[in-house]
Amino acid sequence: MAIRLGSTVINCSDLDTMTRFWSAALDLEPASEAADFRLLRGPHVNLSLQRASTPVATRDQMHLDLYADDQQREVDRLIGLGARFVRHVDDDPADDWAVLADPEDNLFCVCVKPADEVRDPGVRPGPPGAGPAA
């Protein structure tokens, strides 16, 4: 395929607070320090933060789903970093997630999804037991 997702961009007003939160939340490193844009890089994902030119008022247009082996541990860790708990949805045993809000009230979910159920973007499909592609 000739097209791929390069980065998810979150509009925000306080780049420093959001950079600290999302860098710690997803173990990302800031790759830029511009006054109006931050690229946060990791081994398998990029996340960008962009200073909004107008107040960020509209919510719920999109959100991130974060997959976790230990949902409660990650929810507690993210709350410790500055997230706010919104609600827990566990009415379907096969689909369990916690809704949190980041320091600027952007909603995101922490889903129960063990790593072995999620394809690592750095691994190409191959025969069972083949391991990561070189």
Side-chain angles (χ1 to χ4, degrees):
M1 182 179 342
I3 193 168
R4 63 190 183 283
L5 180 63
S7 185
T8 299
V9 180
I10 298 174
N11 289 329
C12 58
S13 58
D14 186 337
L15 282 176
D16 293 330
T17 296
M18 295 291 278
T19 296
R20 282 190 301 275
F21 176 80
W22 285 111
S23 292
L26 297 176
D27 194 23
L28 302 174
E29 291 292 326
S32 67
E33 291 291 329
D36 60 351
F37 186 84
R38 301 280 167 82
L39 172 62
L40 309 178
R41 287 198 169 163
H44 301 291
V45 67
N46 291 331
L47 181 69
S48 298
L49 305 173
Q50 174 177 278
R51 186 182 310 278
S53 58
T54 59
V56 180
T58 303
R59 300 289 180 200
D60 298 330
Q61 292 178 343
M62 60 163 275
H63 70 270
L64 302 176
D65 280 351
L66 307 180
Y67 294 169
D69 291 325
D70 185 337
Q71 180 189 54
Q72 190 59 56
R73 186 182 83 231
E74 290 302 323
V75 166
D76 292 343
R77 184 180 72 84
L78 293 163
I79 289 171
L81 293 171
R84 178 178 54 82
F85 180 81
V86 176
R87 69 182 171 277
H88 186 199
V89 180
D90 63 352
D91 51 356
D92 178 353
D95 201 14
D96 181 326
W97 70 92
V99 181
L100 303 179
D102 73 12
E104 290 197 359
D105 272 341
N106 299 297
L107 299 180
F108 63 97
C109 297
V110 179
C111 307
V112 174
K113 193 72 72 169
D116 61 353
E117 291 182 21
V118 181
R119 183 181 165 278
D120 182 336
V123 177
R124 290 189 209 129

